[in-house]
């Protein structure tokens, strides 16, 4: 998918100062909340799951707007990611905070979607591998199909926390499994 | 023979004056009565007209504007006259009160991003979205009239600014001082200003320009842009989002 097919959910993306992190608190808060929408919207459209704090990232959409001739600085990129993490739309993947997993759906939403699928398609009380959830034919028409292992795991952990599933660690990540429990009403 | 000298003449003249006065006051009374009659019949006609075209007044912005213009020309304000007479008759008064509240709501809601400066066309667009497709259509004239209605709420309310062919709605906590007003005025041209632009336009020192711009920045009226390319002048630009966005839309059209 080409990035030029994407159109921003906010007109502010076309505004040059949108790419300068604003010094005034209230304005910056608004700006970052708009950026959160932009990033989630873009990543969802492009099926992009990670953002690196790198020049390469800052040079590409949605952080670079060729028409407005503006791009984010690395510092700006980092501030947006921090804001997303803070609001539950991302999680840092490394200690140094240079790579963020994007939750264009929050983990609880992924969890709910996965559980709904398991329950609707008769996969309760049996063990599935995470690999089959991500890549299997049974989930091809699901929004969570193709979700990276790391994010899938976070979603399933949310289900585990609700007592709706249990995760089994395999010898490699592809062999990790999960068992969905039917819920007593 | 000398005529009309003495007491008899005074008496005659006095009598004549009295008669004149009587005739004059009779005439005046007649005219007032006639005027009142005209006014009554006119009011009746206007009522009949309003009732007959009630649906169109409420639904058709162009027709409504003409109706308001007609009323204004003859000094009748359909919005406030007769203690709700028109609103009972038409619901027109409610129409503008309701619209005024919607305009205020939008001004408040968009203030974090535009600092209280909103282009009329953008406001109209947002009001339409807020009201949904099923509501009777409204136009920019309706919004201006609604703002006039809520403007009576007084200081700290909203005002309309017309500059360079554009109409802007200001909902600012404080009134603008003269320096701030002319900067905002200049901003209607490009949607942004810089120290150099202000220097070229008003021969201001950098200090004077920055004093205004820093207040605007702090109050959220402008967004600063520090990535200005050399061709664009290289120095920081201060953007008024709503003014700039309406320009971008025009460029796209």
């Amino acid at each position: 998918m080409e990035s030029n097919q994407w159109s921003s959910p906010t007109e502010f993306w076309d505004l040059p100062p949108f790419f300068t992190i604003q010094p005034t608190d209230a304005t910056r808060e608004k700006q970052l909340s708009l950026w959160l929408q932009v990033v989630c919207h873009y990543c969802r459209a492009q099926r992009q799951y990670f953002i690196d704090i790198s020049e390469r990232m800052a040079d590409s959409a949605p952080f670079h707007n060729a028409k407005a001739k503006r791009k984010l600085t690395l510092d700006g990129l980092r501030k947006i990611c921090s804001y997303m993490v803070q609001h539950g739309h991302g999680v840092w993947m490394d200690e140094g905070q240079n790579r963020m997993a994007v939750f264009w759906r929050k983990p609880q939403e992924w969890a709910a979607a996965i559980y709904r699928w398991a329950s609707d398609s008769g996969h309760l009380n049996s063990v599935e591998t995470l690999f089959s959830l991500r890549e299997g034919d049974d989930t091809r028409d699901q929004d969570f199909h193709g979700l990276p292992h790391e994010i899938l795991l976070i979603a399933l952990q949310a289900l585990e926390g609700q007592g709706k599933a249990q995760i089994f660690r395999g010898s490699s990540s592809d062999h990790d499994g999960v068992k969905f429990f039917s819920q007593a009403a | 023979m000398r005529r009309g000298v003495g007491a008899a003449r005074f008496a005659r003249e006095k009598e004549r004056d009295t008669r004149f006065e009587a005739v004059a006051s009779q005439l005046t009374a007649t005219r007032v009565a006639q005027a009142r009659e005209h006014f009554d019949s006119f009011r009746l006609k206007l009522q009949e007209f309003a009732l007959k075209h009630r649906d169109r007044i409420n639904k058709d912005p162009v027709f409504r504007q003409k109706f308001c213009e007609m009323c204004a020309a003859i000094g009748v304000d359909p919005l406030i006259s007769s203690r709700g007479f028109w609103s009972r008759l038409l619901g027109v008064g409610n129409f503008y009160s309701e619209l005024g509240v919607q305009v205020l709501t939008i001004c408040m809601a968009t203030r974090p991003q535009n600092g209280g400066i909103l282009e009329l066309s953008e406001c109209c667009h947002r009001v339409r979205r807020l009201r949904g497709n099923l509501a009777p259509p409204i136009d920019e004239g309706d919004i201006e009239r609604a703002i006039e209605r809520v403007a009576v709420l007084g200081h700290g309310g909203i005002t309309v600014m017309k500059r360079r062919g554009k109409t802007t709605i200001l909902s600012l906590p404080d009134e603008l001082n003269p320096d701030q007003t002319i900067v905002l005025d200049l901003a209607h041209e490009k949607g942004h200003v810089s120290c150099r632009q202000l220097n070229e336009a008003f021969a201001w020192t950098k200090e004077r320009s920055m004093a205004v711009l820093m207040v605007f920045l702090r109050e959220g009226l402008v967004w600063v842009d520090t990535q200005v390319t050399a061709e664009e002048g290289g120095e920081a630009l201060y953007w008024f989002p709503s003014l700039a966005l309406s320009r971008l839309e025009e460029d796209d059209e």
Side-chain angles (χ1 to χ4, degrees):
Chain A
M1 231 193 290
E2 278 293 313
S3 60
N4 58 14
Q5 288 170 336
W6 172 78
S7 80
S8 165
T10 165
E11 60 214 321
F12 271 72
W13 190 72
D14 291 315
L15 209 61
F18 193 53
F19 294 81
T20 298
I21 299 295
Q22 295 300 306
T24 306
D25 291 346
T27 313
R28 185 175 58 248
E29 182 67 25
K30 182 70 202 177
Q31 180 186 26
L32 291 173
S33 76
L34 287 172
W35 265 114
L36 184 149
Q37 287 177 32
V38 166
V39 175
C40 285
H41 189 272
Y42 181 86
C43 289
R44 177 176 209 153
Q46 308 289 319
R47 299 278 145 176
Q48 183 178 324
Y49 297 97
F50 297 99
I51 288 173
D52 295 305
I53 309 293
S54 68
E55 286 293 347
R56 205 172 141 263
M57 196 53 111
D59 276 337
S60 46
F63 306 112
H64 177 230
N65 182 338
K67 195 175 151 222
K69 297 197 209 101
R70 296 293 185 273
K71 63 172 225 177
L72 277 170
T73 59
L74 286 188
D75 183 53
L77 185 54
R78 186 177 295 281
K79 283 206 169 72
I80 290 165
C81 288
S82 300
Y83 182 86
M84 292 183 69
V85 170
Q86 202 184 323
H87 286 78
H89 279 281
V91 66
W92 293 113
M93 300 305 291
D94 61 334
E95 197 84 3
Q97 306 194 340
N98 288 310
R99 184 173 169 81
M100 184 189 76
V102 182
F103 299 144
W104 33 271
R105 281 186 173 196
K106 290 192 173 184
Q108 306 89 292
E109 292 168 358
W110 284 126
I114 294 168
Y115 190 81
R116 201 178 315 120
W117 167 82
S119 137
D120 289 353
S121 62
H123 286 81
L124 295 182
N125 299 314
S126 64
V127 176
E128 298 295 312
T129 63
L130 267 63
F131 181 80
S132 69
L133 287 177
R134 277 163 48 212
E135 307 289 344
D137 288 341
D138 289 352
T139 62
R140 198 163 293 281
D141 56 346
Q142 296 294 313
D143 219 13
F144 61 81
H145 186 85
L147 206 59
H149 185 78
E150 296 92 325
I151 297 180
L152 187 59
L153 203 55
I154 293 168
L156 293 174
Q157 279 162 356
L159 274 187
E160 205 171 34
Q162 296 166 11
K164 291 182 179 174
Q166 190 182 349
I167 300 167
F168 301 97
R169 293 294 187 152
S171 52
S172 73
S173 64
D174 277 353
H175 293 96
D176 285 349
V178 60
K179 182 176 181 181
F180 299 105
F181 302 127
S182 54
Q183 288 288 95
Chain B
M1 180 188 145
R2 287 178 298 169
R3 289 169 51 190
V5 180
R9 178 184 165 190
F10 279 123
R12 254 200 326 274
E13 283 189 357
K14 203 174 170 194
E15 197 197 322
R16 195 180 60 200
D17 284 353
T18 318
R19 271 209 303 269
F20 273 144
E21 265 169 38
V23 172
S25 66
Q26 209 184 340
L27 270 176
T28 312
T30 316
R31 280 203 197 118
V32 168
Q34 269 174 356
R36 186 167 290 143
E37 208 172 293
H38 282 152
F39 179 75
D40 282 345
S41 74
F42 169 74
R43 211 175 84 142
L44 204 65
K45 290 279 180 212
L46 194 61
Q47 281 182 35
E48 281 171 10
F49 179 85
L51 270 177
K52 191 170 157 201
H53 298 288
R54 175 188 168 138
D55 278 356
R56 262 189 97 185
I57 291 171
N58 278 327
K59 285 194 182 125
D60 178 349
V62 177
F63 192 82
R64 179 164 59 243
Q65 185 176 354
K66 292 269 183 262
F67 178 71
C68 285
E69 277 169 11
M70 187 178 78
C71 290
I74 52 182
V76 177
D77 185 343
L79 306 183
I80 59 171
S81 66
S82 302
R83 292 171 293 278
F85 161 73
W86 289 100
S87 53
R88 270 205 311 282
L89 198 62
L90 292 175
V92 173
N94 292 337
F95 174 86
Y96 282 106
S97 302
E98 185 187 276
L99 187 58
V101 171
Q102 287 163 344
V103 170
L104 280 176
T105 306
I106 285 161
C107 286
M108 303 279 280
T110 58
R111 201 185 270 179
Q113 62 201 47
N114 63 29
I117 300 177
L118 186 63
E119 268 273 314
L120 178 62
S121 53
E122 188 189 343
C123 181
C124 189
H125 179 69
R126 285 177 180 274
V127 169
R128 284 187 188 137
R129 209 165 46 192
L130 181 75
R131 293 163 65 90
N133 294 332
L134 296 176
I138 48 134
D139 66 10
E140 297 183 1
D142 288 325
I143 298 209
E144 283 193 68
R145 278 189 289 278
I147 290 172
E148 282 169 27
R149 293 277 284 145
V150 294
V152 298
L153 296 176
H155 190 70
I158 59 178
T159 48
V160 171
M161 182 181 191
K162 290 180 192 257
R163 289 292 191 287
R164 296 164 206 256
K166 287 193 175 299
T167 307
T168 312
I169 301 165
L170 306 181
S171 57
L172 305 169
D174 298 306
E175 285 189 22
L176 296 175
N177 68 32
D179 273 13
Q180 292 168 339
T181 307
I182 58 171
V183 171
L184 182 54
D185 189 356
L186 183 71
H188 279 72
E189 206 168 281
K190 293 181 172 169
H192 58 71
V193 292
S194 68
C195 282
R196 182 175 310 145
Q197 274 171 260
L198 294 175
N199 179 267
E200 281 164 9
F202 314 124
W204 283 1
T205 60
K206 196 174 171 80
E207 288 72 27
R208 186 171 177 183
S209 302
M210 285 312 284
V212 174
L213 294 174
M214 285 301 116
V215 171
F216 278 176
L217 192 60
R218 200 176 58 225
E219 298 295 328
L221 276 69
V222 295
W223 289 42
V224 65
D225 172 20
T226 57
Q227 299 183 49
V228 184
T229 61
E231 307 97 78
E232 294 170 311
E235 64 167 356
L237 288 178
Y238 296 83
W239 295 75
F240 291 81
S242 186
L243 302 182
L245 287 171
S246 74
R247 284 184 55 84
L248 284 177
E249 274 165 30
E250 281 168 21
D251 291 348
D252 285 346
E253 278 162 14

